[in-house]
Amino acid sequence: MEDLDTLVLRTACAWQADGLPVVLVTVARTWGSSPRPPGSLMAIKADGATVGSVSGGCIEDDLIERIRAGGIHAACPALAPTVQRYGITADEAHRFGLPCGGTIELVLEPVSPHSRLDELLAACEQRRSVERILDLATGGVELRDGRRDGVPHLDERRLTTYLGPQFRIIVIGAGDLSRFLCQIALGLGFEVIVCDPRIERHAAWSLPGVGISREMPDDLILRLKPDARTAVVALTHDPKLDDLALIDALRSDAFYVAAIGSRRNTSLRRERLGTHFGLTEAELASLHGPAGLYIGSKTPAEIALSIMAEVVAVKNGVALPAQARVDTGKSGQSTPVEAGCGV
């Protein structure tokens, strides 16, 4: 499953290739509460078909109604990029469903070959981060290699946005827990790759939309070179598979590296990785283990939810309290749960 930005770009490119008029809408700035953050994308076809979103629905309805009634010229006079602000007054905020009187500023851009959406999409598919600069007067676009994330910047002349590759998760081990974790990750818009060299594990394991690798996990990690939009989660309980993958993942740019296991096994793993493989204290400190947030999980589905919740929190830069960690939560139990990987 694609993330929403990639889906918007791919759909807009397809509509343009078919010769259909399309408007690309970007959330440039917000004030107060807003349903969608700056940088969010939506594409609207001349017949009102849409992909993506910029609000809870009311703003989309207004844009669709205008474009259906007057074509894309109604949204972009002279077929030039247009800045549109919603929710300036309390009445408008109420009308457009903006919470707490929030205000949202959009840039509406008629899609053309000058938009260079095909090049932007290709860069994202190649896992390259791109800075896109839209000239508001001409509609021309400049693309530069840039940082992977950034808040859009809008001034009187241009809109600068930042797009990066789809978030990706590499799962070591094909099992029941992996299946639930992959299903959740797919729903969250992650690219998902499962790695397991054990042939017997593949016979009954398949999930649409998930890539499967039979490589040794450390070989896969070295080949893929995890970037700052990649998470790596080891789920096999087998040190021969988990540890070597973790070593290379912890020395990569991956934003999240974790392994399941009891508190005792986690402690032994850290000792092994430091003593026998020379990982530094800083590298070991970045290993999340036992993986996940402490929510009293028992079943594979609950454990998968716990792990993906931690992945999303780290991705979004949320500083979690110590009580949220599995080891802290378990240490506070009157009857410790040490069996398996319950979190």
Side-chain angles (χ1 to χ4, degrees):
M1 181 180 292
E2 293 182 319
D3 67 300
L4 194 53
D5 286 348
T6 305
L7 178 61
V8 170
L9 293 175
R10 189 181 306 284
T11 305
C13 286
W15 286 343
Q16 180 195 1
D18 289 339
L20 303 171
V22 182
V23 175
L24 181 69
V25 185
T26 304
V27 177
R29 290 187 290 214
T30 63
W31 294 266
S33 299
S34 176
R36 297 284 285 142
S40 299
L41 298 176
M42 178 177 71
I44 308 176
K45 197 168 49 163
D47 64 1
T50 67
V51 59
S53 65
V54 293
S55 78
C58 295
I59 290 177
E60 286 87 343
D61 291 344
D62 181 68
L63 292 171
I64 291 167
E65 183 179 344
R66 287 165 52 195
I67 290 173
R68 276 180 174 169
I72 66 171
H73 291 80
C76 304
L79 292 182
T82 303
V83 178
Q84 176 78 54
R85 183 177 291 189
Y86 286 91
I88 299 174
T89 68
D91 287 343
E92 286 177 319
H94 176 74
R95 175 188 171 196
F96 294 114
L98 292 171
C100 304
T103 300
I104 184 169
E105 198 165 52
L106 308 175
V107 173
L108 283 59
E109 172 189 352
V111 175
S112 72
H114 298 298
S115 304
R116 303 177 69 177
L117 295 189
D118 54 346
E119 297 175 58
L120 187 61
L121 178 62
C124 291
E125 291 175 335
Q126 294 162 11
R127 302 200 66 79
R128 291 166 40 214
S129 297
V130 178
E131 179 180 352
R132 182 177 188 261
I133 304 168
L134 169 68
D135 188 308
L136 297 178
T138 67
V141 167
E142 180 182 357
L143 298 179
R144 303 174 182 170
D145 289 338
R147 62 181 186 268
R148 63 185 181 273
D149 295 300
V151 178
H153 176 73
L154 176 67
D155 58 32
E156 294 180 354
R157 298 177 52 199
R158 60 180 64 88
L159 169 69
T160 302
T161 53
Y162 304 87
L163 287 96
Q166 180 178 8
F167 278 95
R168 172 175 63 182
I169 185 166
I170 300 170
V171 180
I172 310 301
D176 291 335
L177 173 56
S178 305
R179 188 186 308 278
F180 286 110
L181 188 142
C182 290
Q183 288 173 330
I184 297 171
L186 286 172
L188 291 169
F190 281 72
E191 175 190 356
V192 183
I193 300 171
V194 171
C195 179
D196 200 321
R198 300 170 294 185
I199 297 175
E200 64 276 10
R201 294 280 179 164
H202 291 263
W205 208 102
S206 66
L207 192 64
V210 174
I212 304 292
S213 169
R214 291 176 172 80
E215 299 169 77
M216 287 297 294
D218 54 320
D219 291 337
L220 177 70
I221 298 298
L222 289 172
R223 178 171 66 82
L224 293 182
K225 298 180 175 62
D227 55 27
R229 287 194 170 209
T230 300
V232 179
V233 183
L235 302 180
T236 72
H237 284 298
D238 185 343
K240 296 190 299 296
L241 299 177
D242 287 346
D243 284 8
L244 294 179
L246 291 171
I247 292 167
D248 294 317
L250 288 167
R251 289 172 171 164
S252 75
D253 292 330
F255 74 89
Y256 177 88
V257 181
I260 57 170
S262 67
R263 286 174 290 167
R264 177 176 180 276
N265 287 339
T266 296
S267 177
L268 292 173
R269 175 184 290 113
R270 291 181 186 277
E271 183 178 347
R272 281 197 309 272
L273 295 181
T275 301
H276 300 295
F277 296 99
L279 266 69
T280 66
E281 288 299 321
E283 289 168 337
L284 291 172
S286 65
L287 174 62
H288 294 264
L293 303 183
Y294 182 69
I295 58 174
S297 306
K298 298 295 189 298
T299 68
E302 292 174 347
I303 297 168
L305 174 64
S306 164
I307 294 172
M308 284 308 303
E310 186 176 44
V311 171
V312 171
V314 174
K315 176 180 84 71
N316 292 340
V318 175
L320 296 167
Q323 306 94 289
R325 296 203 312 260
V326 171
D327 53 356
T328 305
K330 285 184 175 180
S331 66
Q333 290 181 329
S334 57
T335 305
V337 178
E338 288 288 355
C341 56
V343 293

